[in-house]
Amino acid sequence: MSGFYNVASSLVDTKPLKQKDRKKPLLVTESVLKQVALGENLLEFLYPGLVIDTGNETCPQCSETISEDYIALGWKSCDSQDYTTTCPRCTRRFVARFSVKCESPSFMGSQGPSTPLYCEFLSPWVLRKELRNVIRSNGGIKEMMSPSWRNEDEINATLWWNMMVSFMRYRLPITFLLQGSVNNRLIMPSPDS
């Protein structure tokens, strides 16, 4: 399997997963790996001191700390109407959340500038449905790529940061999602060597 790299998830689990729940390592090509690294570096450049905390959600019933992996395991497959996950300990359904923090004074959080942003943790099916609604009702994808779109409304910010979390979770390049953030310069993929 030359040309493929084993990429571990960027998650830090709070407790070990059961053997049957463990994810298989993600294999990516060298060129995809370069794009993933470029996107993560650009994200850090645009949002200095960025911390996306997806692993410290607590069940409101039993107070179990639930990792991102268990949140994902609790989503109902293919259900775009269900915004909840299931606690692996007590099986209560609840809306999971994650936080985004940044050292930039212009970062708009849930309580105003320079505060953490608290986002609902959306399943891929819910995220797809919500993004389709935004694309159909607003200025389309071009509008969504604008930094002002993700900063003007907490709902927009939640959708955008869910895209970031999902793409980073599955080790997908995010550079195209950052297009509007770099003074109208097109971020070109690097040519294969």
Side-chain angles (χ1 to χ4, degrees), residues 58-117:
T58 304
C59 173
Q61 182 167 318
C62 70
S63 300
E64 176 81 359
T65 301
I66 304 170
S67 71
E68 181 179 348
D69 289 329
Y70 278 112
I71 289 170
L73 285 171
W75 288 324
K76 287 185 181 177
S77 181
C78 301
D79 189 347
S80 64
Q81 302 303 315
D82 189 0
Y83 289 71
T84 63
T85 189
T86 304
C87 174
R89 182 174 177 198
C90 71
T91 67
R92 177 177 177 174
R93 297 205 60 81
F94 67 99
V95 176
R97 291 181 167 67
F98 65 91
S99 65
V100 181
K101 300 173 195 160
C102 176
E103 294 173 0
S104 171
S106 63
F107 182 78
M108 188 59 71
S110 297
Q111 305 288 316
S114 301
T115 63
L117 175 67

Side-chain angles (χ1 to χ4, degrees), residues 20-64:
K20 68 179 181 100
D21 295 337
R22 290 193 190 278
K23 291 189 302 186
K24 293 180 181 173
L26 302 173
L27 297 176
V28 296
T29 64
E30 184 178 354
S31 60
V32 170
L33 189 59
K34 284 180 186 177
Q35 287 300 306
V36 168
L38 173 66
E40 289 174 355
N41 288 333
L42 185 56
L43 191 63
E44 176 64 30
F45 173 76
L46 295 169
Y47 296 94
L50 179 67
V51 175
I52 303 173
D53 187 3
T54 60
N56 285 321
E57 182 57 87
T58 304
C59 173
Q61 182 167 318
C62 70
S63 300
E64 176 81 359

Side-chain angles (χ1 to χ4, degrees), residues 154-170:
E154 195 167 337
I155 294 170
N156 295 354
T158 294
L159 292 175
W160 196 81
W161 285 107
N162 266 277
M163 283 193 296
M164 290 290 113
V165 167
S166 293
F167 277 60
M168 289 190 295
R169 176 179 175 80
Y170 298 110

